[in-house]
């Protein structure tokens, strides 16, 4: 069936309404009071259900708000001379005040004079003398937004139902009994009922936090705004303009971004190649006790990543295992000189500072990638081992008959088959590494630091300075949580950028495998 | 017996040299960790490269089990941290199993509007960097008075795992023939009965895999636990991190870290090895270890 255009559907609806004035009457009744149209249609059970829902929503608004204060003596305080009274702010309930807060992010700060009295952080007796906390308003506003959309959709459904039921009654002369209705509703609604706990969880722990942080990108919220003594404001795309327009920020951002890409690509590629080599060697006919070697090689995968990373942080301490080994085996001068020659080490013939030297961050970057290789190779080894066991034997026999060498067979049969089978996993690993916070944070903590002259003045003032091995995600962490930064708005902007990039890659990756989405 | 050619022998030697070198690289850091856990003192340089069995010390374990914290200390006592983490882990396991089964079932077997869109939305939303969401969650927890109460963190872990687990269980369930459900439905079984009596026994492997993952997760999640809990409520991950943070000079002792880390790493490693079979299933569905 072809989808109809919106305009066409609209015209059909208008025509339908013109033809059924009686059904429209029921719909209008339900428009004003939920369930009223259903009563007119003589569908009592339904009517009570909708009426009850509407009443609950209405009473919630009434009782969560301060409407009763309007009639109390307290409300007699006038506005300040020239001041304004925010009616919804002072009396509104969860829905109206929530949406008001979301739109304005608050109007009255602590210490201000409002309706003739001083505003405190929290005033137990007179609610409107509690200061507006923009952050809380944003959060409750989002909850209100979600609740409002739920109520609105039930309300719309109620109107539609009144209309459609009336039409059916007029057409068939009979009405669906309450029992039939409940039975039908139960089977229609069963999947949603099953999903209610899940939806609540996703709503509160995924959707609302997502919207909250998304919206932060359009505010001026940083640690410099001590709520509730000051208000957060909506600033539109100003933060986006700042990170793109300030040349200093932009240069730091591009450095971080290019390292993030380099890291994600190198980390995935090295792990893949190493995993491939390991799998091919262990599965080859030259190795007899395959299970023994495989078990040893997957050990790093069994160790919790955070622990291995922190062990490696100690391994590469100045007095750690790496330097001790080099000293004991007498290789230290050679390795130190070699690293000096290829430009990774500041001075020759010294003990190597793997993670801390301020010479250039490249040595630390190399260590980051190598440690990731240690951690990540077993994953691909296991994956590729699995693929190898499923390869069709007859292809190799045919190739051997055609006189192909083993290398040719590997190059032209094995490799393409493995690549094709593991492509989704490679893409997933790339996106995973792109956001691999732990691999940076637990190993280097983002260090070594940049030279201060590489950091623009604006960033030195605002805070949130990244280290040389910081990838985008660990920089975001620093931007939002280090004590002298807490640039939540900037961090949110970068989060949105990552989200768009990683999200689109993942969507393409998921959509590629059509079988996953087909419904039988 | 087939005879080996010269090139075969060379390849065999090369392969084994590679494997031996690889094993050294894989095992040495871990052996060093074990050795460090039993070395006295607090200096990494004191850890012998070749384990010195005459100088083994249980000093760090005595410290771990006898240290008593007070509200002002930078470090909580390890047994307390262990119990708190265990609670989070158990709650998370229960939550994950419940939601994985019920949501996976809904998406695999039930028909409803917007099914595909819902799953896709959940999976995409999950790609948003979680630190930013943490600020919102922090506020939410503060509003509900959940802050500084370790058990409530299980809510966040459980919720966070829903999209991916749903995807996995759904995929697993779709490989179970629908004729089983239909036969049961003809006999008058309700959808929930079908899930409980017919499908659940068949999805035990994947659910077991998820349960083990859910149990292990909280032991090694540092950031969330460090932001949401005060030091006196700290968990094992925070405990471990703090002992290797050179800035906290009072409690900094990398050897204590090694000892504490070993305590939780060993059980986890044992479980990982036992669960290998299921892990491979997770891998082939494109899973990634976190």
């Amino acid at each position: 069936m072809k989808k109809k255009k919106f305009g066409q559907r609209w015209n059909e609806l208008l025509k339908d309404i013109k033809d059924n004035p009686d059904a429209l009457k029921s719909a209008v009744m339900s428009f004003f009071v939920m369930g009223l149209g259903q009563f007119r249609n003589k569908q009592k059970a339904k009517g009570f259900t909708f009426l009850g829902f509407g009443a609950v929503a209405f009473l919630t608004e009434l009782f969560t708000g301060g409407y009763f204060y309007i009639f109390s003596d307290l409300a007699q305080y006038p506005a300040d001379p020239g001041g304004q009274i925010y009616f919804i702010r002072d009396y509104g309930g969860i829905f109206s005040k929530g949406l008001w807060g979301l739109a304005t992010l608050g109007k009255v700060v602590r210490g201000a004079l409002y309706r003739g009295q001083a505003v405190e952080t929290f005033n137990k007796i007179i609610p409107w003398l509690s200061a507006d906390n923009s952050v809380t308003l944003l959060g409750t506003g989002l909850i209100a937004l979600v609740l409002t959309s739920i109520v609105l959709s039930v309300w719309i459904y109620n109107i539609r139902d009144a209309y459609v039921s009336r039409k059916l009654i007029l057409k068939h002369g009979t009405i669906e009994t309450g029992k039939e209705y409940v039975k039908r509703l139960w089977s229609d609604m069963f999947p949603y009922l099953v999903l209610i706990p899940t939806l609540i969880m996703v709503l509160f722990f995924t959707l609302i936090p997502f919207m909250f942080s998304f919206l932060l990108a359009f505010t001026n919220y940083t640690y410099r705004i001590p709520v509730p003594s000051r208000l957060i404001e909506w600033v539109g795309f100003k933060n986006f303009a700042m990170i793109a327009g300030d040349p200093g920020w932009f240069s730091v951002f591009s450095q971080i971004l290019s390292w993030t890409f380099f890291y994600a690509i190198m980390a995935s590629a090295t792990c893949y190649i190493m995993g491939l080599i390991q799998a091919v060697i262990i599965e080859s006919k030259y190795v007899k006790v395959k299970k023994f070697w495989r078990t040893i090689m997957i050990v790093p995968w069994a160790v919790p990543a955070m622990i291995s990373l922190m062990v490696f942080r100690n391994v590469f301490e100045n007095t750690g295992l790496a330097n001790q080994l080099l000293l004991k085996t007498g290789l230290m001068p050679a390795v130190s000189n070699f690293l000096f020659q290829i430009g990774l080490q500041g001075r020759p013939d010294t003990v190597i500072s793997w993670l801390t030297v301020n010479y250039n961050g490249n040595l630390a970057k190399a260590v980051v990638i190598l440690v990731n290789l240690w951690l990540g190779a077993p994953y691909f080894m296991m994956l590729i081992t699995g693929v190898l066991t499923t390869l069709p034997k007859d292809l190799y026999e045919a190739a051997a008959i055609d006189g192909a060498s083993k290398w040719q067979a590997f190059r032209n049969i094995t490799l393409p088959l493995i690549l094709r089978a593991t492509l989704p996993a490679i893409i997933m690993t790339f996106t995973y590494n792109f956001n691999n916070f732990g691999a940076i944070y637990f190993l280097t903590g983002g260090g070594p630091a940049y030279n201060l002259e590489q950091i623009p003045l604006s960033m030195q003032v605002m805070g949130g300075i990244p280290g040389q091995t910081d990838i985008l995600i660990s920089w975001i962490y620093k931007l939002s949580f280090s004590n002298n930064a807490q640039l939540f708005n900037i961090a949110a902007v970068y989060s949105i950028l990552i989200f768009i990039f990683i999200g689109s890659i993942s969507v393409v990756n998921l959509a590629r495998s059509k079988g996953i989405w087909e419904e039988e | 017996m087939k005879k080996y050619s010269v090139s075969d022998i060379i390849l065999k030697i090369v392969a084994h040299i590679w494997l031996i070198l690889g094993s050294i690289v894989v095992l040495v850091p871990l052996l060093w960790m074990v050795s460090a856990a039993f070395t006295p003192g607090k200096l990494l340089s004191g850890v012998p490269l070749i384990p010195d069995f005459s100088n083994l010390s249980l000093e760090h374990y005595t410290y771990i089990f006898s240290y008593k914290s007070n509200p002002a200390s930078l470090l909580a006592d390890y047994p307390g941290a262990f119990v708190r983490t265990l609670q989070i882990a158990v709650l998370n396991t229960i939550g994950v199993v419940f939601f994985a089964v019920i949501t996976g079932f809904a998406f695999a077997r039930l028909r409803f509007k917007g099914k595909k869109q819902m799953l896709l939305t959940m999976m995409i939303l999950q790609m948003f960097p979680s630190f930013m969401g943490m600020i919102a969650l922090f506020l939410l927890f503060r509003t509900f008075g959940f802050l500084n109460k370790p058990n409530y963190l299980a809510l966040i872990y459980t919720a966070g795992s829903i999209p991916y687990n749903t995807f996995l269980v759904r995929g697993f369930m779709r490989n179970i023939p629908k004729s089983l459900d239909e036969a049961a439905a003809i006999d008058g079984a309700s959808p929930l009965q079908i899930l409980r009596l017919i499908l659940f026994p068949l999805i035990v492997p994947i659910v077991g895999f998820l349960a083990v993952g859910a149990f292990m997760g909280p032991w090694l999640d540092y950031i969330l636990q460090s932001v949401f809990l005060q030091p006196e409520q700290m968990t094992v991950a925070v405990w471990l991190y703090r002992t290797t943070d050179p800035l906290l000079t009072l409690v900094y002792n990398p050897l204590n870290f090694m000892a504490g880390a070993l305590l939780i790493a060993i059980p986890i490693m044992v479980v990982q090895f036992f669960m290998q079979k299921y892990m491979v299933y997770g891998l082939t569905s494109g899973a990634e270890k976190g």
Side-chain angles (χ1 to χ4, degrees), chain A residues 135 192 198 213 278 286 293 301 303-304 324 374 379 428 432 488 495 499 506 516 518, chain B residues 8 11 18 23 25-26 44 47 103 113 124 132 135 139 170 174 220 283 286-287 289:
Chain A
V135 182
Y192 298 105
T198 309
S213 16
Q278 302 276 55
Y286 306 113
W293 292 112
W301 176 76
V303 187
Q324 276 187 55
W374 188 92
Y379 165 71
M428 274 194 73
Y432 173 77
F488 301 115
S495 298
F499 176 65
S506 309
I516 302 176
E518 267 165 22
Chain B
D8 277 348
L11 280 174
W18 175 276
S23 310
V25 173
V26 161
L44 285 173
V47 181
T103 322
K113 254 191 190 169
I124 292 171
M132 297 309 300
I135 301 167
L139 286 166
R170 169 180 174 267
R174 288 173 64 162
L220 301 149
L283 291 188
K289 184 193 168 203

Short mmCIF file of all heavy atoms in Angstrom, two decimals, chain A residues 135 192 198 213 278 286 293 301 303-304 324 374 379 428 432 488 495 499 506 516 518, chain B residues 8 11 18 23 25-26 44 47 103 113 124 132 135 139 170 174 220 283 286-287 289:
data_model
loop_
_atom_site.label_atom_id
_atom_site.label_comp_id
_atom_site.label_asym_id
_atom_site.label_seq_id
_atom_site.Cartn_x
_atom_site.Cartn_y
_atom_site.Cartn_z
N VAL A 135 19.23 24.31 37.16
CA VAL A 135 19.56 22.93 36.84
C VAL A 135 18.40 22.01 37.20
O VAL A 135 17.98 21.15 36.42
CB VAL A 135 20.84 22.49 37.58
CG1 VAL A 135 21.21 21.09 37.20
CG2 VAL A 135 21.96 23.44 37.26
N TYR A 192 2.64 -3.69 25.43
CA TYR A 192 3.05 -2.46 26.10
C TYR A 192 3.10 -2.65 27.61
O TYR A 192 3.97 -2.12 28.29
CB TYR A 192 2.11 -1.32 25.73
CG TYR A 192 2.11 -1.02 24.25
CD1 TYR A 192 1.06 -1.41 23.43
CD2 TYR A 192 3.19 -0.39 23.66
CE1 TYR A 192 1.07 -1.16 22.08
CE2 TYR A 192 3.23 -0.13 22.30
CZ TYR A 192 2.16 -0.52 21.51
OH TYR A 192 2.19 -0.28 20.18
N THR A 198 10.40 -1.70 31.49
CA THR A 198 11.53 -1.34 30.64
C THR A 198 11.43 0.11 30.21
O THR A 198 12.42 0.85 30.26
CB THR A 198 11.53 -2.23 29.38
OG1 THR A 198 11.43 -3.57 29.78
CG2 THR A 198 12.78 -2.00 28.57
N SER A 213 21.44 16.33 28.81
CA SER A 213 22.79 16.72 28.39
C SER A 213 22.76 17.35 27.01
O SER A 213 23.55 18.23 26.72
CB SER A 213 23.74 15.53 28.41
OG SER A 213 23.05 14.34 28.47
N GLN A 278 47.92 -14.56 15.41
CA GLN A 278 47.82 -15.57 16.48
C GLN A 278 46.89 -16.70 16.06
O GLN A 278 47.22 -17.88 16.21
CB GLN A 278 47.28 -14.93 17.76
CG GLN A 278 48.08 -13.78 18.29
CD GLN A 278 49.24 -14.24 19.15
OE1 GLN A 278 50.05 -15.03 18.70
NE2 GLN A 278 49.31 -13.73 20.36
N TYR A 286 51.23 -26.68 12.09
CA TYR A 286 52.54 -26.75 12.74
C TYR A 286 52.45 -26.76 14.25
O TYR A 286 53.41 -27.07 14.94
CB TYR A 286 53.42 -25.57 12.29
CG TYR A 286 53.53 -25.47 10.80
CD1 TYR A 286 52.97 -24.40 10.12
CD2 TYR A 286 54.16 -26.48 10.07
CE1 TYR A 286 53.05 -24.31 8.75
CE2 TYR A 286 54.23 -26.40 8.69
CZ TYR A 286 53.67 -25.32 8.03
OH TYR A 286 53.74 -25.27 6.68
N TRP A 293 48.11 -23.33 23.89
CA TRP A 293 48.54 -22.00 23.46
C TRP A 293 47.37 -21.03 23.44
O TRP A 293 47.50 -19.87 23.83
CB TRP A 293 49.18 -22.07 22.07
CG TRP A 293 50.47 -22.81 22.06
CD1 TRP A 293 50.74 -24.02 21.49
CD2 TRP A 293 51.70 -22.40 22.68
NE1 TRP A 293 52.03 -24.39 21.69
CE2 TRP A 293 52.65 -23.42 22.43
CE3 TRP A 293 52.10 -21.29 23.43
CZ2 TRP A 293 53.97 -23.36 22.88
CZ3 TRP A 293 53.41 -21.21 23.88
CH2 TRP A 293 54.32 -22.25 23.61
N TRP A 301 42.44 -11.31 27.99
CA TRP A 301 41.02 -11.02 27.80
C TRP A 301 40.23 -11.38 29.06
O TRP A 301 39.19 -10.77 29.34
CB TRP A 301 40.54 -11.84 26.60
CG TRP A 301 39.09 -11.75 26.32
CD1 TRP A 301 38.45 -10.70 25.73
CD2 TRP A 301 38.10 -12.73 26.59
NE1 TRP A 301 37.12 -10.97 25.63
CE2 TRP A 301 36.88 -12.22 26.14
CE3 TRP A 301 38.13 -14.01 27.16
CZ2 TRP A 301 35.71 -12.93 26.25
CZ3 TRP A 301 36.97 -14.71 27.26
CH2 TRP A 301 35.77 -14.17 26.81
N VAL A 303 41.43 -11.12 32.14
CA VAL A 303 41.72 -10.18 33.24
C VAL A 303 40.86 -8.94 33.05
O VAL A 303 40.78 -8.42 31.94
CB VAL A 303 43.21 -9.76 33.22
CG1 VAL A 303 43.53 -8.94 34.45
CG2 VAL A 303 44.09 -10.97 33.16
N PRO A 304 40.21 -8.47 34.10
CA PRO A 304 39.41 -7.26 33.97
C PRO A 304 40.24 -6.10 33.43
O PRO A 304 41.35 -5.86 33.91
CB PRO A 304 38.96 -6.97 35.40
CG PRO A 304 39.16 -8.21 36.15
CD PRO A 304 40.19 -9.03 35.46
N GLN A 324 62.89 -1.74 34.89
CA GLN A 324 63.68 -2.74 35.64
C GLN A 324 64.21 -3.81 34.71
O GLN A 324 65.37 -4.21 34.79
CB GLN A 324 62.81 -3.39 36.71
CG GLN A 324 62.72 -2.60 37.98
CD GLN A 324 62.00 -3.42 39.02
OE1 GLN A 324 62.39 -4.54 39.33
NE2 GLN A 324 60.92 -2.87 39.55
N TRP A 374 47.86 -5.40 23.81
CA TRP A 374 47.94 -6.50 24.77
C TRP A 374 46.53 -6.88 25.21
O TRP A 374 46.18 -8.05 25.30
CB TRP A 374 48.77 -6.03 25.98
CG TRP A 374 49.10 -7.09 26.99
CD1 TRP A 374 50.23 -7.86 26.99
CD2 TRP A 374 48.36 -7.45 28.14
NE1 TRP A 374 50.22 -8.69 28.07
CE2 TRP A 374 49.08 -8.48 28.79
CE3 TRP A 374 47.16 -7.04 28.69
CZ2 TRP A 374 48.64 -9.08 29.97
CZ3 TRP A 374 46.71 -7.63 29.86
CH2 TRP A 374 47.45 -8.65 30.48
N TYR A 379 40.60 -10.80 21.72
CA TYR A 379 39.22 -10.74 21.21
C TYR A 379 39.18 -11.14 19.75
O TYR A 379 38.40 -12.00 19.35
CB TYR A 379 38.69 -9.32 21.42
CG TYR A 379 37.45 -8.99 20.64
CD1 TYR A 379 36.22 -9.56 20.99
CD2 TYR A 379 37.49 -8.13 19.56
CE1 TYR A 379 35.09 -9.26 20.27
CE2 TYR A 379 36.36 -7.81 18.84
CZ TYR A 379 35.16 -8.38 19.19
OH TYR A 379 34.03 -8.08 18.48
N MET A 428 32.62 -2.20 14.91
CA MET A 428 32.24 -2.04 16.32
C MET A 428 33.45 -1.73 17.18
O MET A 428 33.38 -0.91 18.10
CB MET A 428 31.57 -3.30 16.84
CG MET A 428 30.08 -3.32 16.57
SD MET A 428 29.27 -4.58 17.53
CE MET A 428 29.33 -3.87 19.15
N TYR A 432 34.09 1.46 19.45
CA TYR A 432 34.39 1.22 20.86
C TYR A 432 35.67 1.94 21.26
O TYR A 432 35.73 2.62 22.29
CB TYR A 432 34.49 -0.27 21.11
CG TYR A 432 34.95 -0.64 22.49
CD1 TYR A 432 34.09 -0.58 23.56
CD2 TYR A 432 36.26 -1.06 22.71
CE1 TYR A 432 34.50 -0.91 24.83
CE2 TYR A 432 36.69 -1.40 23.97
CZ TYR A 432 35.81 -1.32 25.02
OH TYR A 432 36.23 -1.65 26.28
N PHE A 488 30.17 22.39 31.57
CA PHE A 488 29.19 21.40 31.13
C PHE A 488 28.69 21.68 29.73
O PHE A 488 28.41 20.77 28.96
CB PHE A 488 28.02 21.37 32.11
CG PHE A 488 28.43 21.04 33.50
CD1 PHE A 488 28.30 21.96 34.51
CD2 PHE A 488 28.97 19.79 33.79
CE1 PHE A 488 28.69 21.65 35.81
CE2 PHE A 488 29.37 19.48 35.08
CZ PHE A 488 29.23 20.42 36.09
N SER A 495 30.02 16.17 23.21
CA SER A 495 29.29 14.90 23.30
C SER A 495 28.35 14.75 22.12
O SER A 495 28.21 13.66 21.55
CB SER A 495 28.48 14.83 24.58
OG SER A 495 29.34 14.88 25.68
N PHE A 499 28.34 11.85 19.41
CA PHE A 499 27.11 11.09 19.24
C PHE A 499 26.72 11.02 17.78
O PHE A 499 26.38 9.96 17.26
CB PHE A 499 26.01 11.75 20.07
CG PHE A 499 24.67 11.11 19.90
CD1 PHE A 499 24.45 9.81 20.30
CD2 PHE A 499 23.63 11.82 19.34
CE1 PHE A 499 23.21 9.22 20.15
CE2 PHE A 499 22.38 11.26 19.19
CZ PHE A 499 22.17 9.95 19.60
N SER A 506 27.26 3.52 13.65
CA SER A 506 26.61 2.34 14.21
C SER A 506 25.30 2.04 13.50
O SER A 506 24.96 0.88 13.28
CB SER A 506 26.36 2.53 15.69
OG SER A 506 27.53 2.94 16.33
N ILE A 516 18.87 -8.91 10.73
CA ILE A 516 18.57 -8.57 12.11
C ILE A 516 17.22 -7.90 12.23
O ILE A 516 16.51 -8.06 13.20
CB ILE A 516 19.67 -7.64 12.67
CG1 ILE A 516 21.01 -8.31 12.57
CG2 ILE A 516 19.36 -7.25 14.10
CD1 ILE A 516 22.15 -7.45 13.01
N GLU A 518 14.63 -7.90 9.93
CA GLU A 518 13.46 -8.47 9.26
C GLU A 518 12.50 -9.06 10.27
O GLU A 518 12.88 -9.69 11.24
CB GLU A 518 13.90 -9.58 8.30
CG GLU A 518 14.11 -9.05 6.90
CD GLU A 518 14.88 -10.04 6.07
OE1 GLU A 518 14.87 -11.24 6.42
OE2 GLU A 518 15.49 -9.61 5.07
N ASP B 8 58.68 -26.99 6.22
CA ASP B 8 57.73 -27.26 7.29
C ASP B 8 58.40 -27.14 8.65
O ASP B 8 57.85 -26.56 9.58
CB ASP B 8 57.15 -28.68 7.14
CG ASP B 8 55.99 -28.67 6.15
OD1 ASP B 8 55.53 -27.56 5.80
OD2 ASP B 8 55.59 -29.74 5.70
N LEU B 11 59.08 -23.54 9.48
CA LEU B 11 57.85 -22.86 9.86
C LEU B 11 57.42 -23.27 11.26
O LEU B 11 56.93 -22.46 12.04
CB LEU B 11 56.74 -23.18 8.85
CG LEU B 11 56.80 -22.36 7.57
CD1 LEU B 11 55.77 -22.83 6.56
CD2 LEU B 11 56.63 -20.88 7.85
N TRP B 18 57.48 -17.69 17.99
CA TRP B 18 56.46 -16.64 18.09
C TRP B 18 55.56 -16.87 19.32
O TRP B 18 55.29 -15.96 20.10
CB TRP B 18 55.64 -16.62 16.81
CG TRP B 18 54.49 -15.66 16.86
CD1 TRP B 18 53.26 -15.90 17.39
CD2 TRP B 18 54.47 -14.31 16.41
NE1 TRP B 18 52.47 -14.78 17.30
CE2 TRP B 18 53.19 -13.79 16.70
CE3 TRP B 18 55.44 -13.48 15.79
CZ2 TRP B 18 52.84 -12.48 16.37
CZ3 TRP B 18 55.05 -12.18 15.47
CH2 TRP B 18 53.79 -11.69 15.77
N SER B 23 53.75 -15.65 24.68
CA SER B 23 53.35 -16.05 26.03
C SER B 23 54.09 -15.24 27.08
O SER B 23 53.53 -14.87 28.11
CB SER B 23 53.65 -17.53 26.25
OG SER B 23 53.14 -18.27 25.19
N VAL B 25 55.25 -12.17 26.77
CA VAL B 25 54.67 -10.82 26.83
C VAL B 25 53.33 -10.84 27.57
O VAL B 25 52.99 -9.95 28.33
CB VAL B 25 54.49 -10.26 25.41
CG1 VAL B 25 53.72 -8.95 25.45
CG2 VAL B 25 55.83 -10.08 24.75
N VAL B 26 52.57 -11.90 27.33
CA VAL B 26 51.25 -11.99 27.95
C VAL B 26 51.36 -12.23 29.46
O VAL B 26 50.67 -11.60 30.25
CB VAL B 26 50.43 -13.12 27.29
CG1 VAL B 26 49.28 -13.54 28.16
CG2 VAL B 26 49.92 -12.66 25.93
N LEU B 44 57.73 0.02 44.06
CA LEU B 44 57.70 -0.85 42.89
C LEU B 44 59.09 -1.40 42.60
O LEU B 44 59.25 -2.53 42.14
CB LEU B 44 57.21 -0.07 41.67
CG LEU B 44 55.73 0.22 41.62
CD1 LEU B 44 55.42 1.13 40.45
CD2 LEU B 44 54.93 -1.06 41.52
N VAL B 47 60.12 -4.78 43.94
CA VAL B 47 59.55 -6.03 43.44
C VAL B 47 60.59 -6.79 42.63
O VAL B 47 61.10 -6.26 41.65
CB VAL B 47 58.32 -5.76 42.57
CG1 VAL B 47 57.71 -7.06 42.08
CG2 VAL B 47 57.30 -4.93 43.31
N THR B 103 12.12 -8.06 28.19
CA THR B 103 12.18 -7.18 27.03
C THR B 103 12.57 -7.96 25.78
O THR B 103 12.02 -7.72 24.70
CB THR B 103 13.20 -6.04 27.28
OG1 THR B 103 13.10 -5.63 28.64
CG2 THR B 103 12.93 -4.89 26.38
N LYS B 113 2.95 -2.03 17.58
CA LYS B 113 3.34 -0.91 16.72
C LYS B 113 4.65 -0.31 17.20
O LYS B 113 4.87 -0.17 18.39
CB LYS B 113 2.25 0.15 16.78
CG LYS B 113 1.40 0.22 15.54
CD LYS B 113 0.55 1.48 15.62
CE LYS B 113 -0.50 1.49 14.53
NZ LYS B 113 -1.47 2.55 14.75
N ILE B 124 20.41 3.49 19.66
CA ILE B 124 21.12 4.70 19.24
C ILE B 124 21.33 5.63 20.44
O ILE B 124 22.41 6.18 20.62
CB ILE B 124 20.34 5.42 18.13
CG1 ILE B 124 20.36 4.57 16.87
CG2 ILE B 124 20.94 6.77 17.85
CD1 ILE B 124 19.46 5.07 15.79
N MET B 132 27.91 12.86 30.22
CA MET B 132 26.99 13.98 30.28
C MET B 132 25.70 13.53 30.94
O MET B 132 25.16 14.24 31.78
CB MET B 132 26.71 14.48 28.86
CG MET B 132 27.93 15.02 28.17
SD MET B 132 28.80 16.22 29.17
CE MET B 132 27.54 17.45 29.39
N ILE B 135 25.49 13.73 34.77
CA ILE B 135 25.11 14.95 35.48
C ILE B 135 23.61 14.90 35.76
O ILE B 135 23.16 15.18 36.87
CB ILE B 135 25.48 16.20 34.66
CG1 ILE B 135 26.97 16.20 34.39
CG2 ILE B 135 25.06 17.46 35.39
CD1 ILE B 135 27.38 17.19 33.34
N LEU B 139 21.59 14.55 39.44
CA LEU B 139 20.49 15.39 39.92
C LEU B 139 19.27 14.55 40.28
O LEU B 139 18.63 14.76 41.30
CB LEU B 139 20.09 16.38 38.82
CG LEU B 139 21.06 17.51 38.62
CD1 LEU B 139 20.77 18.23 37.33
CD2 LEU B 139 20.94 18.47 39.79
N ARG B 170 16.87 -11.11 22.06
CA ARG B 170 15.93 -11.15 20.94
C ARG B 170 16.51 -12.02 19.82
O ARG B 170 15.83 -12.90 19.27
CB ARG B 170 15.69 -9.73 20.44
CG ARG B 170 14.94 -9.64 19.13
CD ARG B 170 14.78 -8.15 18.78
NE ARG B 170 14.21 -7.97 17.47
CZ ARG B 170 14.93 -7.83 16.37
NH1 ARG B 170 16.25 -7.88 16.42
NH2 ARG B 170 14.33 -7.65 15.21
N ARG B 174 14.90 -15.62 18.58
CA ARG B 174 14.35 -15.79 17.23
C ARG B 174 14.83 -17.06 16.58
O ARG B 174 14.25 -17.50 15.59
CB ARG B 174 14.72 -14.57 16.39
CG ARG B 174 13.95 -13.36 16.81
CD ARG B 174 14.42 -12.13 16.12
NE ARG B 174 14.18 -12.24 14.69
CZ ARG B 174 14.17 -11.19 13.88
NH1 ARG B 174 14.38 -10.01 14.34
NH2 ARG B 174 13.96 -11.35 12.60
N LEU B 220 34.30 -3.31 38.44
CA LEU B 220 35.35 -2.59 37.75
C LEU B 220 34.87 -1.31 37.14
O LEU B 220 35.45 -0.80 36.20
CB LEU B 220 35.94 -3.50 36.68
CG LEU B 220 36.46 -4.73 37.39
CD1 LEU B 220 36.36 -5.93 36.52
CD2 LEU B 220 37.85 -4.47 37.85
N LEU B 283 30.52 -12.89 21.32
CA LEU B 283 31.44 -12.31 20.35
C LEU B 283 30.88 -12.39 18.95
O LEU B 283 30.91 -11.43 18.20
CB LEU B 283 32.77 -13.08 20.36
CG LEU B 283 33.65 -12.98 21.56
CD1 LEU B 283 34.98 -13.65 21.26
CD2 LEU B 283 33.89 -11.53 21.91
N GLY B 286 28.73 -10.01 17.65
CA GLY B 286 29.31 -8.67 17.56
C GLY B 286 29.47 -8.00 18.90
O GLY B 286 29.60 -6.80 18.98
N ALA B 287 29.46 -8.79 19.97
CA ALA B 287 29.60 -8.19 21.29
C ALA B 287 31.01 -7.67 21.49
O ALA B 287 31.92 -8.04 20.77
CB ALA B 287 29.27 -9.19 22.37
N LYS B 289 33.77 -6.67 24.69
CA LYS B 289 34.01 -6.67 26.13
C LYS B 289 34.33 -5.26 26.59
O LYS B 289 35.11 -4.56 25.99
CB LYS B 289 35.19 -7.59 26.41
CG LYS B 289 35.48 -7.77 27.87
CD LYS B 289 36.84 -8.43 28.01
CE LYS B 289 37.30 -8.35 29.43
NZ LYS B 289 38.73 -8.46 29.53
#
